[in-house]
Amino acid sequence: MNVGIDRLSFYAPSYFLDLHKLAAARGVDKDKYVLGLGQERMAVPPPDEDVVTMAASAALPIVEAGGAGDLDLLIFATETGVDQSKAAALFVHGLLELPSSCRAIEMKEACYGATAALQLACAWVAAHPERSALILGADIARYDLRSPGEPTQGAGAIAMRIAANPRILAIDPEHGVHAEDVMDFWRPNYREEALVDGQYSTRVYLASLVSAWERYRAASGRGLDAFRRPCFHLPFTRMAEKAQMRLHRAAGLPAPTPEDLQRILGDSLGYNRNTGNTYAASLYEGLVSLLDTCPEDLGGARVGLYSYGSGCMAEFFSGVVQPGYREALFAARHRAMFDARIELDYQQYEDIFHLALPKDGGEHAFAQYRTGSFRFAGLSQHKRIYEAL
Ligand code: CAA
């Protein structure tokens, strides 16, 4: 029996900053962000949107399509938690009116969390094939203004229905992991902005890729030629090129040309290039981008997946795209969402950046911006108030 991704939905905030504008404000050559990092736009969540509303907006199409009837496990992966105690999954559980028989928990390991959730859900469904699970990954990537990480900021959410006989991607049982206690990127509880040792983090990402890949290769007996397309965790899209080149070097293959890289990776990078880093959602945003936009029918193709979470936890795994997968995608919805986005100017971006949540425990109603199907409407006595629109 195959188990894997049956539905796959992505959500990004309605507002964005063009990175040419950020480069101009920072006095940086415009090509550094667009060509050097491979990023064009960063998604900026308005003040009445957070990981809960983004994840609920990503999941709603799956629920509306009837994907919640047999649901008994909801795992929400995020490193932008809204509460030290209560799982963000429970807020989503309420907004989506999920059955009280459905477990709801939160999971964290930087950008790797959704992969841990996916693997647990696959094992869960394999043991209970008549049930399904909903995996959410949502984050707001935030660094200090004027730091090297600033142009890689972003926001977005992914929702995946995990089921037996999936319509989109059957997950292979083999995997290779690499875990190591390192300080390449972290976000202390007392800070809103992440701290990162940027160049070091890219080296750890690549070293962990080789280690995870070697273990995957030993477990599966597959070589790089087994994958029609690879998808990588995308802190910025040029990282995927570095990753693919490193895999070629590890396999003793000639370096891919820029044309090879574009052909193999191009379709998986389009969405992330326009949202920035979405941390827990990032790898799966790349997968949605590939499946939604690749003109070639990928039915029957094996896809390699590399998940990396700083700190660090890495996993290389794979899946087989199912024939007819396009009918289970939300490609038109994603296209309409990107087409309807609103551009911010630099000052609007910085104004939103500086807004902070009140901490006085009073009554606060937030101004209404354009959000998805839900909004973070305010605070009352330290409780978050959410609204369905
Ligand atoms: N035209 C074209 N290219 C240019 C250019 C120009 N005018 N100016 C610079 N470049 C190129 C550089 O040559 C470089 O390319 P190569 O890597 O191929 O050499 C690229 O642009 C970036 O330039 P720098 O390395 O000088 O950039 P930087 O040091 O200012 O910042 C960064 C890069 C360290 C990755 C920074 O963006 C950062 O700290 N980002 C956040 C951390 C991060 O994303 N880490 C990734 C691994 S960790 C992870 O994956 C987890 C996660 O999600 C955070």
Side-chain angles (χ1 to χ4, degrees), residues 7 18 41 77 108 180 192 219 223 232 274 311 338:
R7 301 307 297 259
D18 189 309
R41 296 168 166 186
K108 178 175 72 180
E180 191 179 346
E192 294 291 318
F232 297 97
N274 282 287
F338 276 110

Side-chain angles (χ1 to χ4, degrees), residues 29 31-32 36 111 148 198-199 201 233 235-236 238 242 277 310:
D29 186 308
D31 289 341
K32 175 169 178 181
C111 310
Q199 299 292 349
S201 72
H233 167 59
F236 49 93
R238 275 219 53 232
K242 293 173 192 281
N277 199 348
S310 289

Side-chain angles (χ1 to χ4, degrees), residues 298-310:
L298 294 173
R302 178 165 272 111
V303 176
L305 297 147
Y306 176 60
S307 181
Y308 177 76
S310 289

Side-chain angles (χ1 to χ4, degrees), residues 16 19 50 66 94 124 180 203 231 269 308 336 368 371 380 384:
F16 71 89
L19 288 191
D50 66 5
W124 176 263
E180 191 179 346
R203 290 196 297 278
C231 288
L269 308 182
Y308 177 76
Q368 184 157 6
T371 62
S380 170
R384 292 170 102 88

Side-chain angles (χ1 to χ4, degrees), residues 29-33 35-37 79 111 143 148-152 184-185 196-199 201-202 205 233-236 238-239 242 277 279 308-310:
D29 186 308
K30 63 177 176 32
D31 289 341
K32 175 169 178 181
Y33 297 161
L35 300 179
L37 295 175
E79 54 182 300
C111 310
Y143 300 90
E150 185 186 23
T152 70
D184 59 332
F185 164 107
V196 60
D197 188 343
Q199 299 292 349
S201 72
T202 62
Y205 173 115
H233 167 59
L234 297 170
F236 49 93
R238 275 219 53 232
M239 196 72 221
K242 293 173 192 281
N277 199 348
Y279 291 161
Y308 177 76
S310 289

Side-chain angles (χ1 to χ4, degrees), residues 156-363:
I158 197 82
M160 301 184 265
R161 179 174 190 267
I162 309 301
N165 304 315
R167 281 172 280 182
I168 296 180
L169 192 75
I171 300 293
D172 290 321
E174 302 87 3
H175 55 263
V177 301
H178 176 89
E180 191 179 346
D181 180 5
V182 292
M183 292 300 282
D184 59 332
F185 164 107
W186 64 106
R187 184 147 45 166
N189 286 345
Y190 51 82
R191 277 182 64 96
E192 294 291 318
E193 292 78 31
L195 295 167
V196 60
D197 188 343
Q199 299 292 349
Y200 173 60
S201 72
T202 62
R203 290 196 297 278
V204 180
Y205 173 115
L206 293 171
S208 304
L209 167 64
V210 174
S211 172
W213 158 253
E214 293 294 355
R215 289 185 177 130
Y216 171 86
R217 195 173 56 80
S220 67
R222 297 186 189 107
L224 283 185
D225 55 358
F227 308 110
R228 185 118 46 105
R229 301 295 176 103
C231 288
F232 297 97
H233 167 59
L234 297 170
F236 49 93
T237 66
R238 275 219 53 232
M239 196 72 221
E241 294 180 13
K242 293 173 192 281
Q244 186 66 21
M245 288 170 73
R246 181 59 68 91
L247 284 179
H248 275 241
R249 178 139 58 95
L253 297 170
T257 64
E259 293 73 29
D260 290 338
L261 290 172
Q262 175 57 28
R263 181 175 45 77
I264 300 169
L265 298 170
D267 297 316
S268 68
L269 308 182
Y271 287 3
N272 301 65
R273 196 191 294 282
N274 282 287
T275 62
N277 199 348
T278 54
Y279 291 161
S282 160
L283 167 64
Y284 302 96
E285 179 184 354
L287 177 65
V288 183
S289 181
L290 169 66
L291 298 176
D292 278 1
T293 65
C294 180
E296 186 187 330
D297 184 347
L298 294 173
R302 178 165 272 111
V303 176
L305 297 147
Y306 176 60
S307 181
Y308 177 76
S310 289
C312 75
M313 188 61 233
E315 179 163 346
F316 195 99
F317 63 112
S318 58
V320 177
V321 181
Q322 298 301 288
Y325 66 98
R326 283 177 166 142
E327 285 167 32
L329 297 175
F330 294 104
R333 194 178 174 115
H334 296 149
R335 204 163 35 247
M337 179 184 73
F338 276 110
D339 288 349
R341 294 201 304 170
I342 300 162
E343 183 168 0
L344 300 176
D345 63 29
Y346 175 78
Q347 196 52 50
Q348 288 171 316
Y349 151 70
E350 193 168 326
D351 289 347
I352 289 177
F353 187 95
H354 286 304
L355 289 174
L357 282 185
K359 294 183 177 166
D360 59 8
E363 305 294 315

